[in-house]
Amino acid sequence: METEPSFFETSPTPNVVGKPLNRVDGRDKVMGRAKYSAEYPIPGLTYGVLKTSDIAKGKIQNIDTSAAAKQPGVLAIFTHLNIPKLAVTPNDADGKKAIGAPMGFMPLTSDIIYYAGQPVAVVVADTFERATHAAELVRVTYLTEQPIAAYTDPKAKIFDPQKIQDGKTDGKTRRGDARAALASAPVQMTAVYTHAINHHNPMEPGATTAVWEAPDRLTVYESTQGVTRTQKALSTMLGLPQDQVRVITKYIGGGFGCKGSCWPHSVLTVLAAKGVGRPVKLSLTRKQQFTGMGHREDQTQTLSLGATKEGKLTALIHEKTSTTSPWDNYAESNSKIINMLYDCPNFEASYQLARGNVMTSTYTRAPGEAPGSFALESLMDDLAYRLNIDPIEIRLRNHADKDPTNGRPWSSKSLKECYARGAELFGWSKRNPKAGVTRNGRLLVGMGMATASYPVHNSQGTARVRLYADGHAVVQSGATDLGTGTYTVMTQVAADSLGLPPEKIRFELGDTKLPTAPNSGGSVAAGTVSSSVYMAAQDVWQRLTKLAIKDKKSPLFGAKAEDVVIEKGRLQLKKNKAKGEDFMALMKRSELTDIEGTGNGKYGAGYETGQTASPASSGNVEQAGQHSMHSFGAHFCEVQVDPDLGTVRVTRWVSVHGAGRILNAKTARSQIIGGSIFGIGAALMEATHRDHNYARYVNADLADYHIPVNADIPEMTVEFIDERDPYINAMGVKGIGEISMVGVSAAVANAIFHATGKRVRDLPITPDKILGTKSV
């Protein structure tokens, strides 16, 4: 199809889309039939184990592999001296760009040590145990230098990066004259916020199984959020045509951003398999997970606001400083949400970086928006208290009716409804506006809230639908399911689009042999893949319609294609629905066992542009793509604080979001709960500690890196506003993966302030900070 029709006008009457359908992959998971990347029983499989650096900066003087090589079952030990060479490395700007690599350095390409935990050797043996033992016997001698652990190190050199995120985002943003507006504002506030290092820590660590089918043909079973991106990276580095590299990812045990790129361990596994001439499987240990797949960077934000005495914002100035690696200018773009969330005529943002002996940080659970919202929503709360205005009211007074960054109208925005419904569900009206006075016995009780938002990142993908004459269909897209329900929701979309019950649909994903789809990340998968599946189904119906109107035995013979509609698998006339036939009868009469359709789905501005420029639209191309696209929501939190111990317990939680059409009420609710738990963890306990003398992580395990457990989380109430967005994609679907976490840490911090009267701006908010922090 040349253009995408509007879902709400042309689709079959929804039947299962939106319903709380149970996960179609659930049984395979609980029965152990779901295979993850390290679980494929490949004939002749061998095992790779990484030897990593004990130092954070220096040079390898010598690697003694003699003892390790003598161990039973050891097939090879690869170092920078003997590992097969790559055709292209990310060690220069051109190579990194061509690969799409997350980090501008590939271990084992030199003898230089840049960070602790850097791979220095790969040991391959016939069993995992033998490989592990041999790796322990590899002896490395280093010429050690003093590392820089963070931007807070006195030796660190702070610099202006000009651009961040590999040049994708400007390091400075200005709108109006924020400094002049701040200087003249009746109300002026400035605060400093710090955010600890966070690691993703999925249950399934990074894992790769590499199989060379031939000297120039590779199959990789990879724990990745995007098979296509990994395929491109590997094929570029290996110098192979892209179709000679196959990447398979059927199930992922969590990712949260760290599996959004192709990291060094995957490449090293592929090279090791080539070197030994046998399949190799390599899984990172939990400790290696902390130094192998990125993290959220340690960072400080300084936020200043100017406002009128009525609480109307006049100026916002945001400054961020964080640690980056020796090679890359990566920083989360925190200022984006600060720039767009509220109506403020003057805005300024800037970034500063310092190079440390750490690996490059990466996308982590709502990158930028999560820490940025912590600063903004905390300071908005402070403004509300200072002016004696309700925290919801201060946000309503600054509600942005248009996108402040560009003046465009929103494609849809239900934020006011989220505030109202959330307040109703939470019982906000019962909240005592004074901080530090509400008690439950000896415990201090506080209620806080914060706004959530996440942008639509433009994306597109393809899908294939094969409809069989016996009434079932196979639907395919090279997407990945992070565990959030892609298998299920795409089955629902296909079922409604084809007019079939869900049990007649088999949805396949996670293979580069399938039609190309984007990464599962940045909240793009649901909107893009659902649109692609829907479009492919429409292609099938167009083909069947053409078949029917040319078939003399069909009741639709001679009809115009535009006069034929499809309802629940039946082709019929718009004006005479009794005149038509079931697709199965049509296909069997035509001796078709199956019919195939493909579709290209667009998500974001590309879809809107295509719609505006399509023949069926107004034809006003100048108006194409003129909406700003975001999801919005609100979080409400109640805490109880022990004033003697400083401990915090979240006791009630409400989240309400406007995110377009919801594909599955059950899986969507689960996503919001999961993201909210992420945010509660970041607010109260998550922190990786890097030793400032040795630049090594001292709590690189799940015993000392604290994350929430069931006992930390109350029953959570989640609702969605019924929101229709005709500009976003053919399904009217927005992503919800990230918005679930945005604003959560601020809601917790605001509740703590309401409980105690003490403002904590340093995440995580551990008991010592509550006990030791002076009142604002």
Side-chain angles (χ1 to χ4, degrees):
M1 299 179 69
E2 293 182 359
T3 60
E4 299 182 54
S6 168
F7 177 81
F8 298 107
E9 294 176 0
T10 64
S11 75
T13 303
N15 183 33
V16 294
V17 166
K19 300 291 179 61
L21 187 71
N22 288 335
R23 292 174 182 267
V24 299
D25 55 329
R27 188 169 182 82
D28 282 347
K29 286 183 174 178
V30 299
M31 296 294 289
R33 292 194 294 258
K35 285 188 173 62
Y36 293 79
S37 297
E39 296 182 332
Y40 285 86
I42 308 297
L45 186 64
T46 63
Y47 299 82
V49 169
L50 294 178
K51 172 72 174 181
T52 58
S53 169
D54 297 321
I55 69 167
K57 186 179 183 181
K59 188 175 182 179
I60 297 172
Q61 287 187 312
N62 181 59
I63 298 182
D64 183 357
T65 62
S66 57
K70 294 175 183 177
Q71 296 303 304
V74 173
L75 302 176
I77 301 173
F78 296 103
T79 70
H80 67 284
L81 299 172
N82 66 338
I83 196 165
K85 301 301 181 184
L86 293 168
V88 180
T89 74
N91 296 6
D92 59 67
D94 290 340
K96 183 181 179 184
K97 183 177 180 180
I99 294 165
M103 189 166 76
F105 169 69
M106 174 58 62
L108 272 68
T109 55
S110 78
D111 58 358
I112 304 298
I113 301 299
Y114 291 103
Y115 60 95
Q118 176 181 318
V120 295
V122 184
V123 178
V124 182
D126 59 355
T127 70
F128 171 71
E129 292 78 10
R130 285 173 166 175
T132 300
H133 176 61
E136 292 172 350
L137 298 178
V138 174
R139 297 289 178 257
V140 186
T141 305
Y142 303 99
L143 180 63
T144 305
E145 299 178 48
Q146 183 63 35
I148 293 175
Y151 67 91
T152 54
D153 190 311
K155 301 185 298 298
K157 296 179 180 179
I158 307 295
F159 69 95
D160 178 355
Q162 302 296 318
K163 297 272 189 178
I164 59 173
Q165 295 183 311
D166 290 332
K168 297 175 186 175
T169 303
D170 288 333
K172 288 186 172 63
T173 304
R174 289 187 178 88
R175 186 162 47 78
D177 190 340
R179 296 194 179 272
L182 177 64
S184 62
V187 180
Q188 301 174 23
M189 303 179 74
T190 297
V192 178
Y193 303 86
T194 61
H195 200 299
I197 304 165
N198 285 171
H199 275 83
H200 310 80
N201 274 313
M203 288 297 291
E204 178 202 27
T208 305
T209 303
V211 184
W212 285 90
E213 313 284 358
D216 61 349
R217 192 168 70 251
L218 172 69
T219 297
V220 177
Y221 302 88
E222 177 70 14
S223 184
T224 176
Q225 293 172 224
V227 293
T228 301
R229 181 178 290 181
T230 300
Q231 179 193 45
K232 176 183 180 294
L234 289 175
S235 64
T236 302
M237 283 187 274
L238 296 168
L240 293 175
Q242 198 160 323
D243 63 355
Q244 292 293 87
V245 177
R246 183 184 182 188
V247 180
I248 299 171
T249 307
K250 296 299 182 182
Y251 295 95
I252 308 175
F256 323 133
C258 73
K259 296 177 183 176
S261 303
C262 184
W263 293 99
H265 71 274
S266 303
V267 184
L268 297 178
T269 306
V270 168
L271 295 178
K274 191 174 186 66
V276 298
R278 289 175 61 178
V280 173
K281 175 172 71 176
L282 188 151
S283 296
L284 296 181
T285 65
R286 182 58 55 183
K287 184 177 181 180
Q288 290 168 353
Q289 186 74 33
F290 279 75
T291 56
M293 302 183 77
H295 55 274
R296 170 170 278 140
E297 71 266 29
D298 44 327
Q299 54 190 272
T300 293
Q301 302 177 82
T302 302
L303 182 61
S304 301
L305 69 76
T308 67
K309 293 181 179 179
E310 294 72 36
K312 194 74 177 67
L313 292 173
T314 60
L316 285 167
I317 299 175
H318 179 255
E319 299 168 315
K320 176 184 171 181
T321 304
S322 58
T323 307
T324 189
S325 68
W327 333 275
D328 302 308
N329 289 357
Y330 183 89
E332 292 183 312
S333 54
N334 300 24
S335 64
K336 286 184 177 179
I337 191 168
I338 299 171
N339 193 7
M340 56 70 57
L341 194 54
Y342 297 113
D343 185 18
C344 182
N346 302 287
F347 175 80
E348 181 178 313
S350 61
Y351 293 83
Q352 290 185 314
L353 295 175
R355 300 205 180 281
N357 290 105
V358 299
M359 76 177 310
T360 305
S361 51
T362 193
Y363 330 109
T364 310
R365 307 176 194 165
E369 277 72 18
S373 66
F374 170 63
L376 176 61
E377 289 299 278
S378 295
L379 197 56
M380 287 295 288
D381 226 50
D382 287 342
L383 178 63
Y385 281 102
R386 178 164 171 175
L387 299 178
N388 197 27
I389 299 173
D390 183 87
I392 296 178
E393 176 61 26
I394 200 74
R395 289 163 172 82
L396 288 171
R397 291 186 187 185
N398 290 284
H399 181 272
D401 296 324
K402 294 183 178 181
D403 187 339
T405 68
N406 52 32
R408 293 178 180 176
W410 307 106
S411 60
S412 60
K413 186 177 184 180
S414 304
L415 181 55
K416 291 181 179 179
E417 293 87 341
C418 293
Y419 289 148
R421 181 57 177 158
E424 178 186 1
L425 290 170
F426 189 73
W428 186 261
S429 61
K430 299 176 183 178
R431 170 183 175 273
N432 189 322
K434 292 191 67 175
V437 299
T438 304
R439 287 183 176 266
N440 176 19
R442 55 180 293 276
L443 301 177
L444 299 171
V445 179
M447 300 181 186
M449 58 81 58
T451 308
S453 182
Y454 195 75
V456 169
H457 297 298
N458 300 333
S459 181
Q460 63 178 329
T462 53
R464 180 165 54 234
V465 169
R466 181 169 290 175
L467 181 63
Y468 290 84
D470 64 1
H472 84 280
V474 176
V475 183
Q476 299 172 319
S477 176
T480 49
D481 189 336
L482 274 170
T484 50
T486 304
Y487 275 111
T488 305
V489 296
M490 297 312 154
T491 297
Q492 291 173 266
V493 171
D496 272 7
S497 300
L498 294 170
L500 297 174
E503 57 268 23
K504 295 291 185 179
I505 304 291
R506 185 173 80 248
F507 181 66
E508 299 178 347
L509 53 66
D511 193 330
T512 50
K513 286 189 175 296
L514 302 179
T516 303
N519 267 28
S520 284
S523 295
V524 304
T528 307
V529 181
S530 66
S531 182
S532 302
V533 169
Y534 172 67
M535 292 299 299
Q538 302 312 304
D539 190 28
V540 167
W541 290 128
Q542 284 195 358
R543 294 172 188 271
L544 287 172
T545 298
K546 290 178 181 178
L547 188 67
I549 62 180
K550 292 180 180 180
D551 184 353
K552 294 181 179 180
K553 295 182 180 181
S554 172
L556 299 173
F557 175 68
K560 294 181 179 179
E562 58 267 26
D563 293 334
V564 178
V565 294
I566 297 92
E567 289 188 8
K568 295 184 178 180
R570 188 172 188 273
L571 294 84
Q572 56 199 27
L573 292 177
K574 288 181 185 177
K575 297 182 178 179
N576 181 11
K577 294 187 177 181
K579 192 171 183 178
E581 64 178 326
D582 185 272
F583 77 87
M584 289 186 286
L586 173 63
M587 290 178 67
K588 289 177 180 177
R589 190 173 61 250
S590 303
E591 298 183 346
L592 285 176
T593 58
D594 60 85
I595 189 167
E596 186 176 289
T598 59
N600 174 244
K602 296 183 177 66
Y603 178 53
Y607 171 71
E608 184 185 11
T609 301
Q611 286 299 98
T612 307
S614 71
S617 71
S618 64
N620 189 356
V621 180
E622 288 74 20
Q623 297 298 314
Q626 290 301 306
H627 286 86
S628 189
M629 301 176 179
H630 286 251
S631 296
F632 292 93
H635 299 289
F636 293 79
C637 173
E638 179 189 82
V639 299
Q640 293 188 4
V641 181
D642 188 315
D644 299 319
L645 301 177
T647 54
V648 177
R649 180 169 293 278
V650 176
T651 50
R652 287 196 300 129
W653 188 269
V654 171
S655 289
V656 181
H657 296 277
R661 167 169 286 197
I662 300 302
L663 295 174
N664 183 306
K666 183 181 293 185
T667 58
R669 177 177 178 271
S670 294
Q671 273 197 277
I672 299 298
I673 289 174
S676 297
I677 293 171
F678 285 160
I680 292 170
L684 297 178
M685 56 193 75
E686 281 197 64
T688 314
H689 300 288
R690 192 185 295 138
D691 181 274
H692 278 261
N693 290 318
Y694 299 102
R696 291 197 296 249
Y697 296 119
V698 299
N699 63 329
D701 53 52
L702 288 181
D704 296 313
Y705 184 91
H706 295 163
I707 58 175
V709 297
N710 285 345
D712 299 310
I713 304 299
E715 182 68 24
M716 290 181 152
T717 300
V718 174
E719 281 196 9
F720 295 95
I721 302 299
D722 185 13
E723 180 181 87
R724 293 195 168 193
D725 193 322
Y727 307 103
I728 206 86
N729 62 4
M731 292 291 296
V733 171
K734 295 180 180 178
I736 59 173
E738 266 82 10
I739 194 176
S740 54
M741 185 179 178
V742 179
V744 170
S745 293
V748 175
N750 293 341
I752 291 172
F753 176 81
H754 181 244
T756 64
K758 296 180 177 181
R759 173 64 68 181
V760 184
R761 301 184 176 91
D762 181 15
L763 293 184
I765 305 174
T766 46
D768 57 308
K769 296 169 185 174
I770 292 176
L771 293 174
T773 303
K774 296 180 179 179
S775 179
V776 173

